Amino acid sequence: MVLCVWPGVWAGSAGAAQAEIGALPEFAVKSAYLYQFTLFVEWPEESLGNPSDPIVVCVLGDDPFGPFLDALTQKTSQSRPLQVRRVRQVRNAGDCHVLFISASERDRMVTILASLSHRRLLTVSDMEGFAGAGGIVEFVPVEKRVRFGINTEAARKAGLRISSKLLSLATIVSRGKSEGGEP
């Protein structure tokens, strides 16, 4: 299983955490990152519910992950089971903790982000300019590797705390620009 190899990757250098797109299918790599994000993000207690409630990872729009994301349901994160859902409308993402916004939603990206601005939700996408537009995590291909940028201000507004370990692997993005290279 692809996801089993990832915890060791995060313990290494930032260079080691930049997964090669060619070595594994791109969305297998991105699924593994989504799992890792659940380990290194802290949600406010009230948004997680009871200790036995799952952390819910959702995909809004067309699903590019397929079975790679479904493999998360065999995992736990922060002593909670993981659940995966696909949603077609933002209003159906009410119990999601992580929301991957698919490229199929590009024309509605700004509207979607505005409607989620009050939510305790980790928004993730691979759409160019996503983090600069107010999303929290943006996947970026760099030299055949999957990297990511994090908009720390958007995370703060969502009430999320992101581990310094995760931040050390990311490019920090502020509204409209990035610091430290790509995105």
Side-chain angles (χ1 to χ4, degrees):
M1 176 184 291
V2 171
L3 298 175
C4 294
V5 300
W6 283 89
V9 169
W10 288 79
S13 68
Q18 303 164 22
E20 295 244 5
I21 293 173
L24 294 169
E26 177 181 357
F27 283 93
V29 172
K30 290 177 181 178
S31 293
Y33 272 122
L34 289 177
Y35 170 65
Q36 293 297 327
F37 295 158
T38 69
L39 297 171
F40 291 94
V41 172
E42 185 179 319
W43 286 266
E45 283 186 41
E46 69 273 6
S47 68
L48 289 174
N50 296 319
S52 61
D53 289 347
I55 293 177
V56 182
V57 178
C58 298
V59 176
L60 175 64
D62 295 344
D63 177 13
F65 295 96
F68 298 118
L69 194 63
D70 292 331
L72 295 184
T73 61
Q74 300 170 21
K75 299 278 187 187
T76 59
S77 178
Q78 302 184 31
S79 300
R80 295 171 178 272
L82 288 175
Q83 187 178 84
V84 173
R85 292 186 44 223
R86 277 89 175 168
V87 296
R88 300 305 281 167
Q89 300 292 324
V90 175
R91 67 177 175 265
N92 298 332
D95 62 347
C96 301
H97 298 98
V98 177
L99 181 64
F100 180 87
I101 302 171
S102 177
S104 66
E105 307 304 301
R106 180 176 311 282
D107 293 342
R108 301 182 322 132
M109 177 177 68
V110 172
T111 304
I112 290 168
L113 290 173
S115 71
L116 297 172
S117 64
H118 65 285
R119 296 277 320 278
R120 307 291 194 222
L121 178 67
L122 181 70
T123 55
V124 183
S125 185
D126 54 7
M127 288 185 278
E128 185 176 339
F130 180 77
I136 298 175
V137 179
E138 178 182 341
F139 288 124
V140 180
V142 178
E143 299 176 7
K144 296 186 180 184
R145 296 179 183 269
V146 175
R147 303 222 25 217
F148 56 93
I150 296 178
N151 183 329
T152 54
E153 180 63 18
R156 185 192 62 74
K157 286 180 181 177
L160 306 178
R161 291 180 43 154
I162 299 176
S163 164
S164 60
K165 292 178 184 177
L166 184 59
L167 290 173
S168 72
L169 299 174
T171 299
I172 304 303
V173 178
S174 52
R175 205 146 174 95
K177 63 180 182 176
S178 65
E179 301 167 19
E182 308 259 349

